[in-house]
Amino acid sequence: RPGNGRPGAGVVGGPVKVILDDDTLPDLDALAARFTAAHRAGHPVAVHCVTRVQTVLTLAALDIAGPRRGDRLEHGAVVPPELYGQLHRTGLVVVAQPNFIAERGDRYLVDVTDQDPASLYPAASLVRAGIGLAAGTDAPFGHPDPWRAIAAAVTRRTAAGIVLGADECLDAASALALFLTDPADLTRVRLGARGDLCLLHRPLRAALRDPSAVQVRLTIVDGVPLGG
C-alpha cells in the first residue's frame, strides 16, 4: 500500500506464505517444523489450501507446532465441515476468494469431480461455526474489483447464472465486512488504526442492495485520494 511518498512506507512484515501442492506435499513433521520456525521468528503463517488433503495436513502440522495469532488458511476452497471444530479451537482465519464462484464456477461444475462444487469456498457455514472469515480477490489471478467479490459472496451465482451452495450465501453487510479487516489481524479492525475511506454516491444500506464499484465516489488510502 502507498505511504507518504517514501519508498517502503506503509509496508509491514506479514505472515510467512506456505504453498502446498498435492503432488509434492511435505512430510508432516517437516511442515510442522516450518510453522514452528516462522512462529519463533515472530511471524504467523498463511497456508495455501485448495484441497481437502492440504487443509487436513495444515491443521495436523499446526497441532504439532501450536497455532499463533494471525495464522490463516489462504483460499479455503475445500474445508470439510468435520474440521470446523478444530478450526475454531485453533483460532485460524480463512481468507477466501468468493469471486472465484462467479469467475470459475461454471468450470468447477465441469472439472471438479472429487468434490461437490456447491461446497467450494464455504462462507456462511464458517461464520455460523464461529470461524474467522476474511476475503481477497487473489488478483491478478482473480478480478481485482472487491465489489465483484462482495456481490459473488451474496449470490454465489456463476457467470451462467447457476447458484453454487445457496446455504453458503452471505448477506451484503457480512460480505462487505470480509474486506474491512486489518491485514495484520484479519479478525477485526483495531481502534485507533490509521483510517482509510471509501466514499459512496449513496448511503451504504442503499449501495449494498446492488454491490458494485459504480457506487464508489472516492477512495482514500492512508490519506491519499486514489479516485473513484
Coordinates of all heavy atoms in Angstrom, one line a residue, residues 25-106:
L25 N 3.5 -32.8 -1.6 CA 3.3 -32.4 -0.2 C 4.5 -32.8 0.7 O 5.1 -33.8 0.6 CB 2.0 -33.2 0.3 CG 0.7 -32.7 -0.2 CD1 -0.4 -33.6 0.3 CD2 0.4 -31.3 0.1
P26 N 4.8 -31.9 1.6 CA 5.9 -32.1 2.5 C 5.5 -33.2 3.6 O 4.3 -33.4 3.8 CB 6.2 -30.8 3.2 CG 4.8 -30.1 3.1 CD 4.2 -30.5 1.9
D27 N 6.5 -33.7 4.2 CA 6.3 -34.6 5.4 C 5.6 -33.8 6.5 O 5.9 -32.6 6.7 CB 7.6 -35.2 5.8 CG 7.5 -36.0 7.1 OD1 7.1 -37.2 7.0 OD2 7.8 -35.4 8.2
L28 N 4.7 -34.5 7.3 CA 4.0 -33.8 8.3 C 5.0 -33.1 9.3 O 4.8 -31.9 9.6 CB 3.1 -34.7 9.1 CG 2.5 -34.2 10.4 CD1 1.5 -33.1 10.0 CD2 1.7 -35.3 11.0
D29 N 6.0 -33.8 9.7 CA 7.0 -33.2 10.7 C 7.7 -32.0 10.1 O 8.0 -31.0 10.7 CB 7.9 -34.3 11.2 CG 7.2 -35.3 12.1 OD1 6.2 -34.9 12.7 OD2 7.7 -36.4 12.2
A30 N 8.1 -32.2 8.8 CA 8.8 -31.1 8.1 C 7.9 -29.8 8.0 O 8.4 -28.7 8.2 CB 9.2 -31.6 6.7
L31 N 6.6 -30.0 7.7 CA 5.7 -28.9 7.6 C 5.6 -28.2 9.0 O 5.6 -27.0 9.1 CB 4.4 -29.3 7.1 CG 3.4 -28.2 6.8 CD1 3.9 -27.1 5.8 CD2 2.1 -28.7 6.3
A32 N 5.4 -29.1 10.0 CA 5.3 -28.5 11.4 C 6.6 -27.7 11.8 O 6.5 -26.7 12.4 CB 5.1 -29.7 12.4
A33 N 7.7 -28.2 11.3 CA 9.0 -27.5 11.6 C 9.0 -26.1 10.9 O 9.5 -25.2 11.5 CB 10.2 -28.3 11.2
R34 N 8.5 -26.1 9.7 CA 8.4 -24.8 9.0 C 7.5 -23.8 9.8 O 7.8 -22.6 9.9 CB 7.9 -25.0 7.6 CG 8.8 -25.7 6.7 CD 8.2 -26.0 5.3 NE 8.0 -24.7 4.6 CZ 7.3 -24.7 3.4 NH1 6.9 -25.8 2.8 NH2 7.2 -23.6 2.7
F35 N 6.4 -24.3 10.3 CA 5.5 -23.5 11.0 C 6.1 -23.0 12.3 O 6.1 -21.8 12.7 CB 4.2 -24.2 11.3 CG 3.3 -24.5 10.2 CD1 2.3 -25.5 10.3 CD2 3.5 -24.0 8.9 CE1 1.5 -25.8 9.2 CE2 2.7 -24.3 7.8 CZ 1.7 -25.2 8.0
T36 N 6.8 -23.9 13.0 CA 7.5 -23.5 14.2 C 8.6 -22.5 14.0 O 8.7 -21.5 14.8 CB 8.1 -24.8 14.9 OG1 7.1 -25.7 15.2 CG2 8.9 -24.4 16.1
A37 N 9.3 -22.6 12.9 CA 10.4 -21.7 12.6 C 9.8 -20.3 12.4 O 10.3 -19.3 12.8 CB 11.2 -22.1 11.4
A38 N 8.7 -20.2 11.6 CA 8.0 -18.9 11.4 C 7.5 -18.3 12.6 O 7.7 -17.1 12.9 CB 6.9 -19.1 10.4
H39 N 6.9 -19.1 13.5 CA 6.4 -18.6 14.8 C 7.5 -18.1 15.7 O 7.4 -17.0 16.3 CB 5.6 -19.7 15.5 CG 4.3 -20.0 14.8 ND1 3.6 -21.2 15.1 CD2 3.6 -19.4 13.8 CE1 2.5 -21.2 14.4 NE2 2.5 -20.2 13.6
R40 N 8.6 -18.8 15.7 CA 9.8 -18.4 16.5 C 10.4 -17.1 16.0 O 10.9 -16.3 16.8 CB 10.8 -19.5 16.6 CG 10.4 -20.7 17.5 CD 11.5 -21.7 17.4 NE 11.1 -22.8 18.3 CZ 11.7 -24.0 18.4 NH1 12.8 -24.2 17.5 NH2 11.4 -24.9 19.2
A41 N 10.2 -16.8 14.7 CA 10.7 -15.6 14.1 C 9.7 -14.5 14.3 O 10.0 -13.3 13.8 CB 11.1 -15.8 12.6
G42 N 8.6 -14.7 14.9 CA 7.6 -13.7 15.1 C 6.6 -13.5 14.1 O 5.9 -12.5 14.1
H43 N 6.4 -14.5 13.2 CA 5.5 -14.4 12.1 C 4.4 -15.5 12.2 O 4.8 -16.7 12.4 CB 6.2 -14.5 10.8 CG 7.2 -13.5 10.5 ND1 6.9 -12.2 10.2 CD2 8.6 -13.5 10.5 CE1 7.9 -11.4 10.0 NE2 9.0 -12.2 10.2
P44 N 3.2 -15.2 11.9 CA 2.2 -16.2 11.7 C 2.4 -16.8 10.3 O 3.3 -16.4 9.5 CB 0.9 -15.5 11.7 CG 1.2 -14.1 11.3 CD 2.6 -13.8 11.8
V45 N 1.7 -17.9 9.9 CA 1.8 -18.5 8.6 C 0.5 -18.3 7.9 O -0.6 -18.3 8.5 CB 2.2 -20.0 8.7 CG1 3.5 -20.1 9.3 CG2 1.1 -20.8 9.6
A46 N 0.6 -18.2 6.6 CA -0.5 -18.2 5.6 C -0.4 -19.3 4.7 O 0.5 -19.3 3.8 CB -0.6 -16.8 4.9
V47 N -1.2 -20.3 4.8 CA -1.0 -21.6 4.1 C -2.0 -21.7 3.0 O -3.2 -21.6 3.2 CB -1.1 -22.8 5.1 CG1 -0.7 -24.1 4.3 CG2 -0.3 -22.6 6.3
H48 N -1.5 -21.9 1.8 CA -2.3 -22.1 0.6 C -3.0 -23.4 0.6 O -2.4 -24.5 0.5 CB -1.4 -22.0 -0.6 CG -2.0 -22.1 -2.0 ND1 -2.4 -23.3 -2.5 CD2 -2.3 -21.1 -2.9 CE1 -3.0 -23.0 -3.7 NE2 -2.9 -21.7 -4.0
C49 N -4.3 -23.4 0.8 CA -5.1 -24.7 0.9 C -6.3 -24.7 0.0 O -7.2 -23.9 0.2 CB -5.6 -24.8 2.4 SG -4.4 -25.2 3.6
V50 N -6.2 -25.5 -1.1 CA -7.3 -25.5 -2.0 C -7.9 -27.0 -2.2 O -8.8 -27.2 -3.0 CB -6.8 -25.0 -3.4 CG1 -6.5 -23.5 -3.3 CG2 -5.7 -25.8 -4.0
T51 N -7.3 -27.9 -1.4 CA -7.9 -29.3 -1.4 C -8.1 -29.8 0.0 O -7.5 -29.2 0.9 CB -6.9 -30.2 -2.2 OG1 -5.7 -30.4 -1.4 CG2 -6.6 -29.7 -3.6
R52 N -8.8 -30.9 0.1 CA -9.1 -31.5 1.4 C -7.8 -31.9 2.1 O -7.6 -31.6 3.2 CB -10.1 -32.7 1.2 CG -10.4 -33.4 2.5 CD -11.2 -34.6 2.2 NE -12.5 -34.3 1.6 CZ -13.6 -34.1 2.4 NH1 -13.6 -34.3 3.7 NH2 -14.8 -33.8 1.8
V53 N -6.9 -32.6 1.3 CA -5.7 -33.1 1.9 C -4.8 -32.0 2.4 O -4.2 -32.1 3.5 CB -5.0 -34.1 1.0 CG1 -4.4 -33.3 -0.2 CG2 -3.9 -34.8 1.7
Q54 N -4.8 -30.9 1.7 CA -4.0 -29.7 2.1 C -4.5 -29.1 3.4 O -3.7 -28.8 4.3 CB -3.9 -28.7 1.0 CG -3.2 -29.1 -0.2 CD -3.3 -28.1 -1.4 OE1 -3.8 -27.0 -1.2 NE2 -3.0 -28.6 -2.6
T55 N -5.8 -29.0 3.5 CA -6.4 -28.5 4.7 C -6.1 -29.4 5.9 O -5.8 -29.0 7.0 CB -7.9 -28.3 4.6 OG1 -8.1 -27.4 3.5 CG2 -8.5 -27.7 5.8
V56 N -6.3 -30.7 5.7 CA -6.1 -31.7 6.8 C -4.6 -31.7 7.2 O -4.3 -31.7 8.5 CB -6.5 -33.1 6.4 CG1 -6.0 -34.1 7.4 CG2 -8.0 -33.2 6.2
L57 N -3.7 -31.7 6.3 CA -2.3 -31.6 6.6 C -1.9 -30.4 7.4 O -1.1 -30.4 8.3 CB -1.5 -31.8 5.3 CG 0.1 -31.7 5.5 CD1 0.6 -32.9 6.3 CD2 0.8 -31.7 4.1
T58 N -2.4 -29.2 6.9 CA -2.1 -28.0 7.6 C -2.6 -28.0 9.0 O -1.8 -27.6 10.0 CB -2.8 -26.8 6.9 OG1 -2.2 -26.7 5.6 CG2 -2.6 -25.5 7.6
L59 N -3.8 -28.5 9.3 CA -4.3 -28.5 10.7 C -3.5 -29.5 11.5 O -3.2 -29.2 12.7 CB -5.8 -28.9 10.7 CG -6.7 -27.8 10.1 CD1 -8.1 -28.3 10.1 CD2 -6.6 -26.5 11.0
A60 N -3.1 -30.6 10.9 CA -2.3 -31.6 11.7 C -0.9 -31.0 12.0 O -0.4 -31.1 13.2 CB -2.1 -32.8 10.9
A61 N -0.3 -30.2 11.1 CA 1.0 -29.6 11.4 C 0.9 -28.5 12.4 O 1.8 -28.4 13.3 CB 1.6 -29.1 10.1
L62 N -0.2 -27.8 12.3 CA -0.3 -26.7 13.3 C -0.7 -27.3 14.7 O -0.3 -26.7 15.7 CB -1.5 -25.8 12.9 CG -1.1 -24.7 11.8 CD1 -2.3 -24.0 11.3 CD2 0.0 -23.7 12.4
D63 N -1.2 -28.5 14.7 CA -1.5 -29.1 16.0 C -0.2 -29.5 16.7 O -0.1 -29.4 17.9 CB -2.3 -30.4 15.8 CG -2.8 -31.0 17.1 OD1 -3.4 -30.3 17.9 OD2 -2.6 -32.2 17.3
I64 N 0.8 -29.8 15.9 CA 2.2 -30.1 16.4 C 2.9 -28.9 16.8 O 3.5 -28.7 17.9 CB 3.0 -30.9 15.4 CG1 2.3 -32.3 15.1 CG2 4.4 -31.1 15.8 CD1 3.0 -33.1 14.0
A65 N 2.9 -27.9 15.8 CA 3.7 -26.7 16.1 C 3.0 -25.7 17.1 O 3.7 -25.0 17.8 CB 3.8 -25.9 14.7
G66 N 1.7 -25.8 17.2 CA 1.0 -24.9 18.0 C 0.6 -23.7 17.2 O 1.5 -23.1 16.5
P67 N -0.7 -23.3 17.2 CA -1.1 -22.1 16.4 C -0.6 -20.8 17.0 O -0.3 -20.7 18.2 CB -2.6 -22.2 16.4 CG -2.9 -22.9 17.7 CD -1.8 -23.9 17.9
R68 N -0.5 -19.8 16.2 CA -0.2 -18.5 16.6 C -1.2 -17.5 16.1 O -1.8 -17.7 15.0 CB 1.2 -18.1 16.0 CG 1.6 -16.6 16.2 CD 2.9 -16.2 15.5 NE 3.1 -14.8 15.5 CZ 3.9 -14.2 16.5 NH1 4.5 -15.0 17.4 NH2 4.1 -12.9 16.5
R69 N -1.5 -16.5 16.8 CA -2.5 -15.5 16.4 C -2.1 -14.9 15.0 O -0.9 -14.5 14.8 CB -2.6 -14.3 17.4 CG -3.6 -13.3 17.1 CD -3.7 -12.2 18.2 NE -4.7 -11.3 17.9 CZ -6.0 -11.4 18.2 NH1 -6.4 -12.5 18.8 NH2 -6.9 -10.4 17.9
G70 N -3.0 -14.9 14.1 CA -2.7 -14.4 12.8 C -2.5 -15.6 11.8 O -2.4 -15.3 10.6
D71 N -2.3 -16.8 12.2 CA -2.2 -17.9 11.3 C -3.5 -18.0 10.5 O -4.6 -17.7 11.0 CB -2.1 -19.3 12.0 CG -0.7 -19.4 12.6 OD1 0.3 -18.7 12.2 OD2 -0.5 -20.3 13.5
R72 N -3.4 -18.3 9.2 CA -4.6 -18.4 8.4 C -4.5 -19.4 7.2 O -3.4 -19.8 6.8 CB -4.9 -17.0 7.8 CG -3.9 -16.4 6.8 CD -4.0 -14.9 6.7 NE -3.4 -14.4 5.5 CZ -3.0 -13.2 5.4 NH1 -3.1 -12.3 6.4 NH2 -2.5 -12.7 4.2
L73 N -5.6 -19.8 6.8 CA -5.7 -20.6 5.6 C -6.1 -19.7 4.4 O -7.1 -19.0 4.4 CB -6.8 -21.7 5.7 CG -6.7 -22.7 6.9 CD1 -7.9 -23.7 6.8 CD2 -5.4 -23.4 6.8
E74 N -5.2 -19.7 3.4 CA -5.5 -19.0 2.2 C -6.4 -19.8 1.3 O -6.1 -21.0 1.0 CB -4.1 -18.6 1.5 CG -3.2 -17.7 2.3 CD -3.6 -16.3 2.4 OE1 -4.6 -15.9 1.7 OE2 -3.0 -15.5 3.1
H75 N -7.3 -19.1 0.7 CA -8.3 -19.7 -0.2 C -9.4 -20.5 0.6 O -10.5 -20.2 0.5 CB -7.7 -20.6 -1.3 CG -6.7 -19.9 -2.1 ND1 -7.1 -18.8 -3.0 CD2 -5.4 -20.0 -2.3 CE1 -6.0 -18.4 -3.6 NE2 -5.0 -19.1 -3.2
G76 N -9.0 -21.6 1.3 CA -10.0 -22.4 2.0 C -11.1 -22.9 1.0 O -12.3 -22.9 1.3
A77 N -10.6 -23.3 -0.2 CA -11.5 -23.8 -1.2 C -12.3 -25.0 -0.8 O -13.5 -25.2 -1.1 CB -10.8 -24.1 -2.5
V78 N -11.6 -25.9 0.0 CA -12.3 -27.1 0.5 C -12.0 -27.2 2.0 O -10.9 -27.4 2.4 CB -11.7 -28.4 -0.2 CG1 -12.4 -29.6 0.4 CG2 -11.9 -28.3 -1.7
V79 N -13.0 -26.9 2.8 CA -12.9 -27.0 4.2 C -14.0 -28.0 4.7 O -15.2 -27.5 4.9 CB -13.1 -25.6 4.9 CG1 -12.8 -25.8 6.4 CG2 -12.1 -24.6 4.3
P80 N -13.7 -29.2 4.9 CA -14.8 -30.2 5.3 C -15.4 -29.8 6.7 O -14.7 -29.4 7.6 CB -14.0 -31.5 5.5 CG -12.8 -31.3 4.7 CD -12.4 -29.9 4.7
P81 N -16.7 -29.8 6.8 CA -17.4 -29.4 8.0 C -16.9 -30.1 9.2 O -17.0 -29.6 10.3 CB -18.9 -29.8 7.7 CG -19.0 -29.7 6.2 CD -17.7 -30.2 5.7
E82 N -16.4 -31.4 9.1 CA -15.9 -32.1 10.3 C -14.7 -31.5 10.9 O -14.3 -31.8 12.0 CB -15.7 -33.6 9.9 CG -14.6 -33.8 8.8 CD -15.2 -33.9 7.5 OE1 -16.4 -33.4 7.2 OE2 -14.6 -34.6 6.6
L83 N -14.1 -30.5 10.1 CA -12.9 -29.8 10.6 C -13.2 -28.5 11.3 O -12.3 -27.8 11.8 CB -11.9 -29.6 9.5 CG -11.3 -30.9 8.8 CD1 -10.3 -30.5 7.7 CD2 -10.6 -31.8 9.9
Y84 N -14.5 -28.1 11.2 CA -14.8 -26.8 11.7 C -14.5 -26.6 13.2 O -14.0 -25.6 13.6 CB -16.3 -26.5 11.5 CG -16.7 -26.1 10.1 CD1 -15.8 -26.3 9.0 CD2 -18.0 -25.7 9.8 CE1 -16.2 -26.0 7.7 CE2 -18.4 -25.3 8.5 CZ -17.5 -25.5 7.5 OH -17.8 -25.2 6.2
G85 N -14.8 -27.6 14.0 CA -14.5 -27.6 15.4 C -13.0 -27.3 15.7 O -12.6 -26.5 16.5
Q86 N -12.1 -28.0 14.9 CA -10.7 -27.9 15.1 C -10.3 -26.5 14.7 O -9.4 -25.8 15.3 CB -9.9 -28.9 14.3 CG -8.4 -28.9 14.6 CD -7.7 -30.0 13.9 OE1 -8.3 -30.9 13.2 NE2 -6.4 -30.1 14.0
L87 N -10.8 -26.0 13.6 CA -10.5 -24.7 13.1 C -10.9 -23.6 14.1 O -10.1 -22.7 14.4 CB -11.3 -24.4 11.8 CG -10.6 -24.7 10.5 CD1 -11.6 -24.6 9.3 CD2 -9.4 -23.8 10.2
H88 N -12.0 -23.8 14.7 CA -12.5 -22.8 15.7 C -11.6 -22.8 16.9 O -11.2 -21.8 17.5 CB -13.9 -23.1 16.1 CG -14.5 -22.2 17.1 ND1 -14.5 -22.4 18.4 CD2 -15.2 -21.0 16.9 CE1 -15.1 -21.3 19.0 NE2 -15.5 -20.5 18.1
R89 N -11.2 -24.0 17.4 CA -10.4 -24.1 18.6 C -9.0 -23.5 18.4 O -8.4 -22.9 19.3 CB -10.2 -25.6 19.0 CG -11.5 -26.2 19.6 CD -11.1 -27.6 20.2 NE -10.6 -28.5 19.2 CZ -11.4 -29.3 18.5 NH1 -12.7 -29.2 18.6 NH2 -10.8 -30.2 17.7
T90 N -8.4 -23.6 17.2 CA -7.1 -23.1 16.9 C -7.1 -21.6 16.6 O -6.1 -21.0 16.7 CB -6.4 -23.8 15.7 OG1 -7.3 -23.7 14.6 CG2 -6.2 -25.3 16.0
G91 N -8.3 -21.0 16.3 CA -8.4 -19.6 16.1 C -7.9 -19.2 14.7 O -7.7 -18.0 14.4
L92 N -7.7 -20.2 13.8 CA -7.3 -19.9 12.4 C -8.4 -19.1 11.7 O -9.6 -19.2 11.9 CB -7.0 -21.1 11.6 CG -5.6 -21.7 11.8 CD1 -5.7 -22.9 12.7 CD2 -5.1 -22.1 10.4
V93 N -7.9 -18.2 10.8 CA -8.8 -17.4 10.0 C -8.7 -18.0 8.6 O -7.7 -18.3 8.1 CB -8.4 -15.9 10.0 CG1 -9.2 -15.1 8.9 CG2 -8.6 -15.3 11.4
V94 N -9.9 -18.1 7.9 CA -9.9 -18.5 6.5 C -10.0 -17.2 5.6 O -10.9 -16.4 5.9 CB -11.1 -19.4 6.2 CG1 -11.2 -19.7 4.7 CG2 -11.0 -20.7 7.0
V95 N -9.1 -17.1 4.7 CA -9.1 -15.9 3.8 C -9.6 -16.4 2.4 O -8.8 -17.1 1.7 CB -7.8 -15.2 3.7 CG1 -7.9 -14.0 2.8 CG2 -7.3 -14.8 5.1
A96 N -10.8 -16.2 2.0 CA -11.4 -16.8 0.9 C -11.4 -15.9 -0.3 O -11.2 -14.7 -0.2 CB -12.8 -17.3 1.2
Q97 N -11.8 -16.4 -1.5 CA -12.0 -15.6 -2.7 C -13.4 -15.9 -3.2 O -13.5 -16.7 -4.2 CB -10.9 -15.9 -3.8 CG -9.5 -15.3 -3.5 CD -8.8 -15.9 -2.3 OE1 -8.8 -17.2 -2.2 NE2 -8.2 -15.1 -1.5
P98 N -14.4 -15.3 -2.7 CA -15.7 -15.6 -3.2 C -16.0 -15.2 -4.7 O -16.9 -15.8 -5.3 CB -16.6 -14.7 -2.3 CG -15.7 -13.6 -1.7 CD -14.4 -14.3 -1.6
N99 N -15.1 -14.4 -5.2 CA -15.2 -14.0 -6.6 C -15.0 -15.2 -7.5 O -15.4 -15.3 -8.7 CB -14.3 -12.9 -7.0 CG -12.9 -13.1 -6.5 OD1 -12.6 -13.3 -5.3 ND2 -11.9 -13.1 -7.4
F100 N -14.2 -16.2 -7.0 CA -14.0 -17.4 -7.9 C -15.2 -18.2 -8.2 O -15.3 -18.9 -9.2 CB -13.0 -18.3 -7.2 CG -11.5 -17.8 -7.3 CD1 -10.5 -18.4 -6.5 CD2 -11.2 -16.8 -8.1 CE1 -9.2 -17.9 -6.6 CE2 -9.9 -16.3 -8.2 CZ -8.9 -16.9 -7.4
I101 N -16.3 -18.1 -7.3 CA -17.5 -18.8 -7.6 C -18.1 -18.1 -8.9 O -18.6 -18.8 -9.8 CB -18.5 -18.7 -6.4 CG1 -18.0 -19.5 -5.2 CG2 -19.9 -19.1 -6.8 CD1 -18.0 -21.0 -5.5
A102 N -18.1 -16.8 -9.0 CA -18.6 -16.1 -10.1 C -17.7 -16.3 -11.3 O -18.2 -16.5 -12.5 CB -18.8 -14.6 -9.8
E103 N -16.4 -16.3 -11.1 CA -15.5 -16.3 -12.3 C -15.2 -17.7 -12.8 O -14.9 -17.8 -14.0 CB -14.2 -15.6 -11.9 CG -14.3 -14.1 -11.5 CD -13.1 -13.5 -10.9 OE1 -12.0 -14.1 -10.9 OE2 -13.2 -12.4 -10.3
R104 N -15.2 -18.7 -11.9 CA -14.8 -20.0 -12.3 C -15.8 -21.1 -12.0 O -15.6 -22.3 -12.2 CB -13.5 -20.4 -11.6 CG -12.4 -19.4 -11.7 CD -11.1 -19.8 -11.0 NE -10.1 -18.8 -11.1 CZ -8.8 -19.0 -10.6 NH1 -8.5 -20.1 -9.9 NH2 -7.9 -18.0 -10.7
G105 N -17.0 -20.7 -11.5 CA -18.0 -21.7 -11.0 C -18.4 -22.6 -12.1 O -18.6 -23.8 -11.9
D106 N -18.6 -22.1 -13.3 CA -19.1 -22.9 -14.4 C -18.0 -24.0 -14.8 O -18.3 -25.1 -15.1 CB -19.5 -22.1 -15.6 CG -20.6 -21.2 -15.4 OD1 -21.7 -21.7 -14.9 OD2 -20.5 -20.0 -15.6

